[in-house]
Amino acid sequence: MFQIRVKADFAAAHFLRDYHGKCENLHGHNYKVYAHVQGKRLDEGGMLLDFTELKAALKKVIERLDHTNLNDIAFFEQNPSAERIAVYIYKGIIDLLPSLKKTDEESAHLWAIDVFETENNRARFIP
């Protein structure tokens, strides 16, 4: 099995509804996002997937989030948790690179999205 990972960053504000604590107040994070691709087959160039292609798709998706109030984005249903952000990013990358949707264990597929709100706090989405 082969795996590759790319990283990108964005900054955004949010607040969590139905939460009882300080995160129900508007606040911001400098998010770090990792997109993981895995598969068993390499292409003719010996790569699972070109890093440049994956990184470009990830950057395009997070540009929609950068320097926004995430609560203003309908997808999050007013609760832009790190878990929901990970799903949003996964779906965005799949829209841009549909070949990465998991069809079998052999081919390259988007295996996981990690969203770090802080260095110590991560949410992971695995489809």
Side-chain angles (χ1 to χ4, degrees):
M1 184 70 66
F2 298 96
Q3 290 187 342
I4 65 168
R5 180 192 81 185
V6 297
K7 174 184 170 246
D9 308 286
F10 72 98
H14 75 149
F15 59 90
L16 299 176
R17 295 177 62 183
D18 307 313
Y19 180 87
H20 305 290
K22 64 183 182 178
C23 292
E24 67 187 331
N25 298 314
L26 182 65
H27 63 284
H29 294 285
N30 292 314
Y31 292 93
K32 293 190 184 332
V33 179
Y34 296 86
H36 304 261
V37 170
Q38 77 174 18
K40 292 184 177 179
R41 277 186 267 153
L42 301 179
D43 67 14
E44 57 279 349
M47 294 183 285
L48 185 62
L49 178 72
D50 187 337
F51 287 116
T52 304
E53 188 176 355
L54 180 58
K55 190 159 191 172
L58 175 58
K59 284 186 169 230
K60 190 167 188 172
V61 173
I62 65 171
E63 281 175 1
R64 301 177 209 149
L65 305 176
D66 194 33
H67 285 80
T68 67
N69 178 347
L70 298 174
N71 292 76
D72 293 338
I73 298 172
F75 180 89
F76 299 122
E77 300 174 9
Q78 284 295 308
N79 272 318
S81 63
E83 293 87 346
R84 284 184 169 157
I85 295 167
V87 171
Y88 177 91
I89 293 168
Y90 171 84
K91 289 182 176 193
I93 292 173
I94 291 299
D95 286 347
L96 294 169
L97 300 173
S99 66
L100 290 183
K101 190 167 187 175
K102 186 173 183 177
T103 55
D104 61 57
E105 292 297 323
E106 297 286 322
S107 60
H109 57 275
L110 189 53
W111 176 75
I113 299 292
D114 291 334
V115 174
F116 284 80
E117 281 191 346
T118 70
E119 188 175 314
N120 298 318
N121 299 328
R122 178 203 77 191
R124 174 174 278 176
F125 175 68
I126 300 173

